[in-house]
Amino acid sequence: MTSLPGTTLVTCLFDLANRERSHDRRSGAQYIEAAEKSVFGLDCDLVVFADPEWVEPITAARVGRGLAARTRVIGVALEDLRSYALLDAITRARIEHPLQNGNPAKDTPLYTLLQWAKFELIARVAADAIPTGHLGWIDIGLSSIPYAGEDPFTAPSDRVRLLMLRPFFASELSREGYFCRIWSHLAGGDIGGAVENMAGVAARFDELARATLANGFAASDEQLL
């Protein structure tokens, strides 16, 4: 069991496969299975937002590891999040400006909405009176943290840190059509920092996502980060 003192992690489980009637996505049950091998075993304060039907199995998984006191599972439908109101606009933007190298089975408007919603959830937890100084996001299906050195959870920093897959340059960020491609510069599966800094990133992400959407682009979380 990995111990992460002083860190609160946030994650979520919303079953997109069921909503999209897709066989190309992992089901909610498959995400639970993946989390059993990793996320559920993290000895930290864990806040999980999940479809109501998944509250009981998530809670049971943490209780079985003796981590009930460090666990808060919040039953809420994806459709009840504030971000969900953006789905129609995201859909229209993807029709107007599709991802040129996107995966049609994965990079759907609903998946993009979920990427944005996780920053809404980070902001919700940051606004609570939580006892730790560091806050992080971890994707519930993340089986491992692919860091060669210190990761943002076991060696938390006040500055927000996340995984850079490859370096990027200002000329790339200003390129025409930047929001029409996935560039694989960054990964948003695990992010950590001081509570106030994570709150700042979440607020800035929401601001930028909405401004970009107003200009007709539904950017991925990687592009916005």
Side-chain angles (χ1 to χ4, degrees), residues 100-160:
Q100 296 171 6
N101 62 339
N103 180 342
K106 176 188 175 185
D107 300 310
T108 64
L110 190 62
Y111 179 71
T112 301
L113 170 72
L114 180 60
Q115 292 178 320
W116 292 10
K118 68 185 185 183
F119 291 90
E120 175 184 343
L121 301 179
I122 290 170
R124 284 178 59 171
V125 176
D128 288 344
I130 58 176
T132 59
H134 291 89
L135 180 64
W137 173 272
I138 186 166
D139 284 354
I140 198 166
L142 201 64
S143 58
S144 64
I145 301 174
Y147 286 83
E150 295 180 342
D151 66 66
F153 302 144
T154 58
S157 165
D158 286 350
R159 296 184 67 181
V160 174

Side-chain angles (χ1 to χ4, degrees), residues 45-139:
D45 294 333
L46 181 67
V47 182
V48 186
F49 295 87
D51 288 320
E53 61 266 31
W54 299 112
V55 170
E56 184 175 343
I58 292 170
T59 302
R62 293 284 286 178
V63 169
R65 290 168 170 79
L67 296 170
R70 307 199 70 183
T71 306
R72 182 182 177 195
V73 186
I74 301 170
V76 60
L78 177 62
E79 291 77 8
D80 291 334
L81 299 185
R82 183 173 63 93
S83 302
Y84 192 80
L86 301 174
L87 181 58
D88 287 346
I90 290 173
T91 302
R92 290 193 298 270
R94 279 293 169 83
I95 293 172
E96 182 179 356
H97 297 112
L99 283 174
Q100 296 171 6
N101 62 339
N103 180 342
K106 176 188 175 185
D107 300 310
T108 64
L110 190 62
Y111 179 71
T112 301
L113 170 72
L114 180 60
Q115 292 178 320
W116 292 10
K118 68 185 185 183
F119 291 90
E120 175 184 343
L121 301 179
I122 290 170
R124 284 178 59 171
V125 176
D128 288 344
I130 58 176
T132 59
H134 291 89
L135 180 64
W137 173 272
I138 186 166
D139 284 354

Side-chain angles (χ1 to χ4, degrees), residues 167-199:
F168 54 86
F169 304 94
S171 59
E172 292 180 288
L173 302 183
S174 60
R175 183 179 300 169
E176 183 178 356
Y178 176 81
F179 290 120
C180 290
R181 295 186 63 84
I182 300 292
W183 299 93
S184 298
H185 288 134
L186 302 172
D190 48 341
I191 309 170
V195 173
E196 61 271 21
N197 292 337
M198 287 291 287

Side-chain angles (χ1 to χ4, degrees), residues 17-59:
N18 184 53
R19 287 174 168 87
E20 294 179 330
R21 298 294 187 266
S22 172
H23 298 293
D24 295 315
R25 292 195 185 281
R26 282 193 284 183
S27 66
Q30 289 172 315
Y31 275 107
I32 292 287
E33 182 180 0
E36 288 274 11
K37 302 173 184 177
S38 57
V39 174
F40 291 160
L42 295 174
D43 184 9
C44 66
D45 294 333
L46 181 67
V47 182
V48 186
F49 295 87
D51 288 320
E53 61 266 31
W54 299 112
V55 170
E56 184 175 343
I58 292 170
T59 302

